[in-house]
Amino acid sequence: MAKGLILGLILLGSMLAGCMANRDWRLGFNYTDWLQKHRNWYDQHRPNKTQQVSNKIIVGGSQHWRFNFTYTDWAFKHGPFYLNDVLVFKYDPPVGKDSHPHSVYQLPDLRSFIKCDLSNAKKLANATQGVGNGFEVVLDKWQPYYFACGESNGFHCDVGRMKFFVMPMLRAWPSRRT
């Protein structure tokens, strides 16, 4: 029995080696074939617009977008976030010379997020766009989203803890009955 098991393992190993020969393999995985196969599967199984559900989430909940609130904790406690969810940034408008306005920036990467480096960030909303119903951001890509307040040259981000990130997850689709 042991000889049969060893022979089976040798046969399986040689079959795998033969299958991997002359392929575009990187670290034992053919990314191009895998991506194409799964894109095709997604195109065939993706839900139509009426089946897609999204949530509207107010950033910070009742605290809104403000200085000295830990948004990384808030994001952790209120996740997971899903693809096509909508984040709503609500904040007070600047009033007078002594007020501290807020804004919303999307940072390009984790390094910029950690350091509150706004030099390559994209400004999504200025100091008045979060007033009233707020400013909305749709999580429409499967990628990490890094958000921060860009006011006072990153002071609100760094000292005021006005930053967080989310990685939207894929929502489970309803099964199709035929």
Side-chain angles (χ1 to χ4, degrees), residues 57 71-72 74-76 78-85 87 106 108-110 113 137-147 164-171:
I57 303 140
Y71 289 93
T72 51
W74 170 85
F76 182 75
H78 290 84
F81 299 92
Y82 293 97
L83 206 56
N84 294 317
D85 278 354
L87 298 180
Q106 185 174 350
D109 52 38
L110 182 61
F113 174 78
V137 176
V138 179
L139 304 175
D140 60 353
K141 292 184 177 78
W142 190 42
Q143 68 178 31
Y145 287 82
Y146 304 99
F147 298 105
F164 71 100
F165 76 94
V166 297
M167 176 66 190
M169 297 174 54
L170 297 175
R171 198 176 297 279

Side-chain angles (χ1 to χ4, degrees), residues 12-30 33:
L12 179 63
S14 64
M15 286 173 40
L16 286 173
C19 291
M20 291 174 55
N22 299 321
R23 294 277 191 162
D24 178 25
W25 289 84
R26 293 180 191 97
L27 301 173
F29 191 82
N30 187 331
D33 289 349

Side-chain angles (χ1 to χ4, degrees), residues 12 30-31 37 43-44 47 50 55 69 88 91 107 128 165 172:
L12 179 63
N30 187 331
Y31 290 102
K37 177 181 163 189
D43 289 341
Q44 292 170 1
T50 59
N55 297 316
F69 182 83
V88 182
Y91 43 92
L107 302 161
T128 60
F165 76 94

Side-chain angles (χ1 to χ4, degrees), residues 84-169:
N84 294 317
D85 278 354
V86 179
L87 298 180
V88 182
F89 290 85
K90 291 184 173 189
Y91 43 92
D92 295 329
V95 180
K97 295 186 292 186
D98 296 330
S99 69
H100 301 284
H102 301 300
S103 58
V104 180
Y105 280 77
Q106 185 174 350
L107 302 161
D109 52 38
L110 182 61
R111 182 187 170 284
S112 300
F113 174 78
I114 291 169
K115 295 183 173 277
C116 287
D117 178 7
L118 300 163
S119 60
N120 293 317
K122 178 182 177 186
K123 188 174 196 174
L124 301 179
N126 64 29
T128 60
Q129 287 177 287
V131 178
N133 291 330
F135 174 77
E136 296 184 354
V137 176
V138 179
L139 304 175
D140 60 353
K141 292 184 177 78
W142 190 42
Q143 68 178 31
Y145 287 82
Y146 304 99
F147 298 105
C149 178
E151 297 305 309
S152 302
N153 295 322
F155 182 78
H156 287 199
C157 172
D158 194 24
V159 177
R161 300 182 311 241
M162 291 185 73
K163 67 178 182 176
F164 71 100
F165 76 94
V166 297
M167 176 66 190
M169 297 174 54

